[in-house]
């Protein structure tokens, strides 16, 4: 069974929901400027980006800063992604692995409750590699890995900045 169409749909649905929420909540006024040195509030790190009619959280907007370049991203609604969001904001040193991904050690292990056995990452994915307690971010295609849990995805263009980055800051989106 070819799962590629289902994976593509699973990635598109949170983005579509985010677009609908952003469109519905915009009053047409320009965004206010926010200082990049201002810390994220504890409440902001758990604010959902979109909800279903039943009120269940489907995604969370985050902002990555890759060597000074801001990149939008969205976390999924898995227990592992929620546990990761609870650690935000984070600034981590990145190391290259296999010329396909950048990895960074996390301060503590994340919950993998209900997580699949592994995952097949795509360019732009944010993932947790449980065996090594690391954040894995993909700028090139990589094979299926046991112990890998997809956390979310970067907006288009983020993977290009990631390829040369040495540091990543992750915080809740304002």
């Amino acid at each position: 069974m070819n799962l590629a169409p289902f994976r593509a749909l699973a990635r598109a649905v949170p983005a579509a929901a985010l677009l609908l929420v952003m469109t519905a909540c915009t009053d047409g006024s320009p965004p206010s400027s926010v200082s990049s040195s201002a810390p994220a509030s504890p409440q902001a790190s758990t604010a959902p980006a979109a909800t279903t009619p039943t009120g269940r959280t489907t995604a969370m907007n985050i902002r990555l800063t890759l060597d000074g370049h801001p990149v939008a991203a969205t976390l999924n609604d898995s227990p592992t992604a929620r546990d990761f969001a609870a650690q935000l904001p984070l600034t981590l040193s990145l190391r290259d692995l296999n010329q396909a991904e950048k990895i960074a050690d996390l301060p503590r292990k994340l919950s993998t409750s209900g997580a699949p056995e592994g995952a097949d990452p795509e360019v732009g994915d944010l993932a947790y590699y449980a065996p090594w307690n690391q954040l894995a971010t993909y700028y090139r295609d990589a094979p299926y890995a046991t112990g890998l849990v997809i956390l979310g995805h970067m907006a288009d263009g983020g993977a290009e900045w990631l390829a040369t980055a040495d540091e990543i800051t992750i915080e809740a989106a304002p």
Side-chain angles (χ1 to χ4, degrees), residues 11-24 49-52 58-59 61 74:
R11 293 186 195 289
V13 169
L18 174 62
L19 180 60
L20 287 173
V21 169
M22 294 299 293
T23 304
T51 58
T52 63
T58 58
N61 294 334
T74 303

Side-chain angles (χ1 to χ4, degrees), residues 1-66:
M1 175 184 206
N2 183 1
L3 296 178
F6 295 107
R7 287 186 182 131
L9 181 60
R11 293 186 195 289
V13 169
L18 174 62
L19 180 60
L20 287 173
V21 169
M22 294 299 293
T23 304
C25 295
T26 303
D27 64 1
S29 60
S32 61
S33 69
V34 177
S35 169
S36 62
S37 62
S41 69
Q43 295 84 4
S45 68
T46 58
T51 58
T52 63
T54 63
R56 188 166 188 271
T57 302
T58 58
M60 176 184 168
N61 294 334
I62 59 172
R63 179 178 53 211
L64 311 178
T65 304
L66 298 164

Side-chain angles (χ1 to χ4, degrees), residues 112 115-121 127-132 138 143-150:
T112 55
E117 183 179 307
D120 185 6
Y128 174 58
Y129 187 61
W132 296 348
Y138 293 86
Y144 176 93
T146 301
L148 189 69
V149 181
I150 303 297

Side-chain angles (χ1 to χ4, degrees), residues 39-154:
S41 69
Q43 295 84 4
S45 68
T46 58
T51 58
T52 63
T54 63
R56 188 166 188 271
T57 302
T58 58
M60 176 184 168
N61 294 334
I62 59 172
R63 179 178 53 211
L64 311 178
T65 304
L66 298 164
D67 287 343
H69 303 282
V71 175
T74 303
L75 294 179
N76 62 39
D77 186 36
S78 68
T80 307
R82 288 191 303 268
D83 196 19
F84 176 72
Q87 292 190 31
L88 301 182
L90 288 172
T91 297
L92 305 167
S93 294
L94 294 170
R95 298 181 308 279
D96 196 82
L97 183 67
N98 300 324
Q99 297 178 339
E101 64 188 281
K102 295 284 183 148
I103 59 171
D105 297 324
L106 291 174
R108 67 169 174 79
K109 289 194 173 280
L110 301 179
S111 166
T112 55
S113 174
E117 183 179 307
D120 185 6
E122 295 182 6
V123 172
D125 276 349
L126 307 173
Y128 174 58
Y129 187 61
W132 296 348
N133 186 43
Q134 291 180 328
L135 175 68
T137 52
Y138 293 86
Y139 62 92
R140 288 203 179 114
D141 192 35
Y144 176 93
T146 301
L148 189 69
V149 181
I150 303 297
L151 301 173
H153 195 78
M154 287 182 262

